[in-house]
Amino acid sequence: MPIYQNEQPSFRVVTCFLMRDEKILILKRSNKVGTFRGKWAALSGFVESYPQHQALTEIHEETRLEKADIELVKAGIPFEVEDEENSVTWVIHPYLYQVVSQKEICIDEEHFEFEWIEPDALSKYDTVPGLEEALARVTEVDEE
């Protein structure tokens, strides 16, 4: 359900990074998705319940990994991304999970390609808006 701020609809989404062997998983969005076709992204989806529950749902749907295959490393502070192309604001809930099993990734129809990359290489890819910020929110050390 959209939240309206300044007449522009706002949608809550989760963005989930999976890490294995110090690399993160990125996926290229297919023509079967509604937005950002052909862009690189992390696992994502609209928040239909609690964000962390939705994160687990998206990870399973898009990779076939089970809850036992991953461990939460960090839930980042949500942030907004203004998307002028689609006339919406995305409220992104970022997550980082460590893959603890050797199970292979099996992507669904939302993506047509995936790569495991060094986190600092993300800027070299044509990504969905806010992806680098989402990654920073789950990989930077918190100062207390």
Side-chain angles (χ1 to χ4, degrees), residues 24-78:
I24 59 166
L25 178 71
I26 60 170
L27 307 99
K28 200 162 196 181
R29 294 173 60 84
S30 75
N31 288 334
K32 306 236 180 200
V33 295
T35 58
F36 307 114
R37 295 174 177 151
K39 302 272 188 187
W40 288 93
L43 302 163
S44 62
F46 289 100
V47 174
E48 297 172 10
S49 61
Y50 296 104
Q52 191 166 345
H53 180 277
Q54 192 68 45
L56 295 172
T57 299
E58 297 301 329
I59 290 168
H60 177 69
E61 287 177 357
E62 296 179 24
T63 67
R64 295 297 171 240
L65 292 178
E66 305 286 343
K67 187 175 179 180
D69 298 317
I70 57 175
E71 288 180 358
L72 178 64
V73 174
K74 186 173 181 181
I77 297 171

Side-chain angles (χ1 to χ4, degrees), residues 73-75 77 140-144:
V73 174
K74 186 173 181 181
I77 297 171
E140 290 178 352
V141 177
D142 294 327
E143 293 183 22
E144 296 186 27

Side-chain angles (χ1 to χ4, degrees), residues 12-24:
R12 294 175 30 189
V13 295
V14 293
T15 293
C16 309
F17 294 94
L18 297 183
M19 182 171 275
R20 178 184 272 164
D21 300 325
E22 304 301 317
K23 293 185 176 183
I24 59 166

Side-chain angles (χ1 to χ4, degrees), residues 3-4 9 15 18 25 27 32 37-38 76 82 87 97 110 139:
I3 304 165
Y4 291 94
T15 293
L18 297 183
L25 178 71
L27 307 99
K32 306 236 180 200
R37 295 174 177 151
E82 300 296 326
S87 300
Y97 287 87
E110 291 183 27
T139 56

